[in-house]
Amino acid sequence: MPMKGRFPIRRTLEFLQKGETVFKKSVQIMTVNYNTHGDLSEGARKFVFFNIPQIQYKNPWVQIMMFKNMTPSPFLRFYLDDGEQVLVDVEGKDHKEITNHVKMILGKSDKVLEAEALAKMELSNPANFGPKKYFLRECFSEVEGQVPHPGFVPLPKEMTGKYRAKLAAGSDE
Amino acid sequence: MLRALSRSPAPVVRLLSPRTAVWVETVRGRKSRTDPKAKSKLGRIKTPPPVDPVEMVVLKERYTEYNLILRALRLEFKEQMLRKKYEEEVGSVAEERTKREEEEHRSLMALNDAENLRMHKIREQRMQKEAEAEELKKREADILRQQELENYIKEKERQILQLQEEAKDFITLDNLDQRIEEALDNPKNYNFAIDKEGRVVKRTAFQR
């Protein structure tokens, strides 16, 4: 079961996470019309083969459909929220050009992505304590170098309350 | 007075106790209802810490003032944050943002349209070239076909002419006797050898 398909690298997480195209919220459907034979559709075919998995990984809520051998020349069509349709002609283009063009027209810009990442980071502050499900640590005793919880490791005699009380009582007498 | 006091102990104590203290008689904690008291705590009588009334009054005043100020500040900041959030989501900031995004979208669509137009022009040129090339090929094929036809006809004519020429030498019923006489008069000698180039090498003498 090790590797499936012609380019199994397309199935690796590393490859999928390398995709940079994150669509704006208004893009709902993406349609690719291309041909299986012919020089002009070569770029479109490579785009479908390599870049569509990356795009779908980054935009799980966008519907992507492929139509083969229905058109004389390959194109992409995007259907937006307000009913607008965006047509992108990709005849004779290279798959890298296509991705860059699509990213430029309908993708979120780098600044926006960074701002979103920052906002997401602000929500989960690693300095907070709480249940293991949401935070890193529950008690300060879990930190390296701190006195561990007496439930797991018994405290040395000198730190226990009763020893100290006995000492105090003894010194008072 | 005692009964009145016993009916509602809280207000009397509240005058002298600190404001934020919790009025609890017992706290359950770790042990359940049925667990016995610890041996070291059997004779314990819990007494609250002693309170100096003058100090208490002064402290209460100061604390009320302090808490008032802090609470006011806290609510002020909270209101600021809420206002900012509201503006961002619903108010003027959001409107500006939508306007800006719309403008950007329009410009990007214009870019896309320009790109499409450019591709369209390129495609038109390519189609034209292809059409011309096809025309040329078709014409050439036509010419070739015609030439082939002519060659074929010429070949056939040549063959006919050759046949006609050969027909002159045919042996028919008319000149049968004449040809027999001729053949008997001129005997032919087939006894000769040929080398690889086809030249005659040796001839043996004619013998009947």
Side-chain angles (χ1 to χ4, degrees):
Chain A
M1 196 280 270
M3 293 201 239
K4 291 190 180 170
R6 274 182 295 153
F7 278 80
I9 191 177
R10 292 176 296 146
R11 306 175 80 195
T12 54
L13 268 181
E14 199 187 316
F15 177 82
L16 291 174
Q17 279 159 1
K18 278 238 182 73
E20 293 168 343
T21 318
V22 182
F23 284 136
K24 295 185 187 147
K25 206 156 71 133
S26 53
V27 178
Q28 303 281 5
I29 307 173
M30 172 169 151
T31 303
V32 187
N33 271 284
Y34 65 104
N35 294 325
T36 42
H37 295 91
D39 239 354
L40 299 166
S41 287
E42 183 63 33
R45 259 174 279 144
K46 282 227 158 64
F47 175 74
V48 164
F49 194 69
F50 287 114
N51 298 102
I52 292 268
Q54 288 177 325
I55 295 178
Q56 183 81 93
Y57 182 78
K58 289 281 172 172
N59 308 278
W61 292 102
V62 170
Q63 178 181 14
I64 304 184
M65 294 217 61
M66 257 71 78
F67 295 106
K68 300 185 193 52
N69 298 325
M70 290 170 80
T71 171
S73 77
F75 64 92
L76 267 63
R77 205 180 213 124
F78 296 88
Y79 297 81
L80 304 184
D81 247 350
D82 44 358
E84 191 186 336
Q85 295 178 11
V86 183
L87 174 70
V88 180
D89 197 354
V90 299
E91 189 172 12
K93 281 199 188 155
D94 191 32
H95 69 291
K96 284 209 183 70
E97 283 175 31
I98 303 176
T99 9
N100 287 337
H101 187 65
V102 162
K103 189 171 157 208
M104 189 180 57
I105 350 173
L106 289 164
K108 289 191 183 158
S109 61
D110 283 337
K111 271 198 293 187
V112 170
L113 282 174
E114 270 173 28
E116 278 184 6
L118 211 70
K120 213 168 120 176
M121 265 202 312
E122 276 173 16
L123 285 179
S124 64
N125 193 347
N128 287 341
F129 289 78
K132 274 277 181 221
K133 189 170 158 196
Y134 302 106
F135 302 99
L136 287 176
R137 304 163 288 214
E138 279 184 324
C139 175
F140 204 65
S141 59
E142 292 179 27
V143 177
E144 281 272 334
Q146 294 296 328
V147 172
H149 199 278
F152 299 116
V153 172
L155 285 175
K157 263 262 189 289
E158 294 82 30
M159 290 214 243
T160 50
K162 57 178 159 187
Y163 183 79
R164 284 218 189 134
K166 209 165 46 165
L167 262 185
S171 68
D172 276 350
E173 278 174 17
Chain B
M1 186 183 131
L2 269 172
R3 236 179 269 138
L5 275 177
S6 65
R7 239 186 280 137
S8 52
V12 171
V13 182
R14 276 223 195 115
L15 271 175
L16 292 176
S17 69
R19 244 183 100 143
T20 49
V22 181
W23 174 245
V24 186
E25 285 190 4
T26 40
V27 181
R28 181 75 27 226
R30 191 175 45 86
K31 293 189 176 175
S32 74
R33 269 180 91 184
T34 50
D35 290 331
K37 223 168 169 165
K39 276 182 288 193
S40 57
K41 303 281 187 294
L42 279 177
R44 184 167 184 235
I45 304 168
K46 287 193 232 176
T47 53
V51 173
D52 186 11
V54 180
E55 186 198 14
M56 182 48 63
V57 167
V58 169
L59 275 180
K60 257 168 106 74
E61 280 175 20
R62 290 190 190 173
Y63 268 123
T64 41
E65 198 184 325
Y66 171 76
N67 284 334
L68 203 79
I69 296 170
L70 261 193
R71 190 150 184 269
L73 278 172
R74 224 175 266 143
L75 290 177
E76 182 80 38
F77 294 146
K78 197 165 172 185
E79 199 200 329
Q80 262 183 23
M81 290 296 298
L82 282 176
R83 188 176 290 278
K84 218 178 8 175
K85 198 161 162 222
Y86 175 79
E87 292 259 303
E88 219 184 273
E89 284 177 9
V90 175
S92 50
V93 171
E95 278 178 27
E96 280 170 31
R97 195 168 41 170
T98 43
K99 236 195 301 183
R100 212 173 354 112
E101 280 177 11
E102 257 178 67
E103 273 177 39
E104 274 176 25
H105 189 254
R106 248 176 286 159
S107 69
L108 289 172
M109 292 301 115
L111 249 166
N112 187 37
D113 285 335
E115 182 73 24
N116 281 352
L117 216 69
R118 188 179 71 91
M119 298 290 298
H120 180 73
K121 285 205 181 73
I122 292 174
R123 196 187 309 133
E124 289 276 298
Q125 282 178 355
R126 194 179 48 229
M127 296 288 227
Q128 220 174 11
K129 264 188 227 149
E130 274 178 21
E132 280 174 18
E134 254 195 61
E135 270 274 341
L136 210 72
K137 243 196 270 181
K138 219 169 68 150
R139 252 179 273 152
E140 278 182 12
D142 264 339
I143 289 170
L144 240 130
R145 226 178 320 138
Q146 216 149 356
Q147 269 185 353
E148 292 247 317
L149 204 72
E150 279 173 20
N151 284 353
Y152 182 71
I153 289 173
K154 268 192 208 135
E155 183 71 28
K156 288 288 170 202
E157 278 180 8
R158 194 181 61 79
Q159 281 180 357
I160 289 172
L161 282 170
Q162 202 184 10
L163 202 65
Q164 278 180 346
E165 295 231 2
E166 283 178 13
K168 288 179 195 150
D169 284 335
F170 282 173
I171 301 177
T172 58
L173 281 169
D174 300 337
N175 48 8
L176 183 66
D177 298 327
Q178 200 187 355
R179 291 298 278 273
I180 290 174
E181 296 247 3
E182 266 182 54
L184 287 171
D185 283 339
N186 318 335
K188 278 196 133 178
N189 185 19
Y190 296 110
N191 285 341
F192 56 86
I194 291 184
D195 66 0
K196 282 194 191 155
E197 263 91 61
R199 293 174 295 206
V200 173
V201 166
K202 204 154 89 164
R203 271 187 186 275
T204 48
F206 179 65
Q207 277 177 5
R208 274 238 57 180

